[in-house]
Amino acid sequence: MSGQDHDSLPLKAALARYFVTNGFAPDGGYGASWVTGKFGPVPFAFPNLEARVRAVRFHDLHHIVTGYDTDSAGEGEISAWEIATGCGTFWAAWLLNLSGMTVLFPVAPRRIYRAFVRGRHSENLYRREYDSQLLATSVGEIRQQLLGGETISATARDRAAFGLWFAVGACATLAPLGILLATLVAATRWIA
């Protein structure tokens, strides 16, 4: 279904269709205790914290509005777009998106960069209420409110912001891995 076909749908109906199309649970998995994902071919699971659910409700709507897919490249794009638009008080969104943007960058670097630039000239839903009024609004109306004209050329400030956020994302992603590795090395030395 093209973006134009979606424009007349209320967000609630588009969200239900999005869940079916992507093989998600009817509630998007919001009620699940654990979330499963893949890092390349390696599956992993993590707790579906309330903070994550709070953020992913808007994240899913952003997929619909922007048209970014749920494959690796699309998740990298939506992560970059959300970082560029700002995730407000949604700390889980900041963490997940910073990791998504940097880890997935090698998959589709140009697309992820373009999504970031697009986000710098867009708005998102993180500052709105997730309620029946929002879900009754048409995709086209929300798309117009958030994305506006769509013709965007990167400015020097956009390029600098991307570099800064990419560095923050790399640190936020690599620091926990470094701590884990250091802990494992220290534990093996202590045991030996």
Side-chain angles (χ1 to χ4, degrees), residues 161-185:
F162 181 80
L164 175 67
W165 281 114
F166 192 85
V168 169
C171 290
T173 302
L174 296 176
L177 293 176
I179 292 169
L180 177 63
L181 181 61
T183 303
L184 290 173
V185 168

Side-chain angles (χ1 to χ4, degrees), residues 16 26-27 35 39 48 51 56 65 69 71 79 87 94 100 148 187:
D27 74 341
V35 176
F39 186 73
N48 194 19
V56 83
V65 171
D69 205 347
D71 61 1
S79 293
C87 300
W94 284 109

Side-chain angles (χ1 to χ4, degrees), residues 89-183:
T89 60
F90 291 78
W91 65 267
W94 284 109
L95 292 175
L96 293 169
N97 287 324
L98 283 168
S99 294
M101 181 175 87
T102 54
V103 169
L104 296 170
F105 185 75
V107 173
R110 288 185 180 139
R111 287 173 53 184
I112 291 170
Y113 175 73
R114 279 193 307 265
F116 182 87
V117 172
R118 182 187 193 197
R120 293 264 302 159
H121 301 272
S122 302
E123 294 181 33
N124 68 39
L125 297 170
Y126 282 126
R127 288 164 189 82
R128 299 196 188 179
E129 291 294 321
Y130 188 92
D131 57 17
S132 58
Q133 182 178 351
L134 174 64
L135 295 176
T137 310
S138 75
V139 172
E141 185 177 341
I142 292 294
R143 200 174 266 145
Q144 184 61 38
Q145 290 173 17
L146 300 184
L147 305 179
E150 290 289 325
T151 304
I152 301 158
S153 296
T155 65
R157 292 182 73 176
D158 294 336
R159 291 187 287 278
F162 181 80
L164 175 67
W165 281 114
F166 192 85
V168 169
C171 290
T173 302
L174 296 176
L177 293 176
I179 292 169
L180 177 63
L181 181 61
T183 303

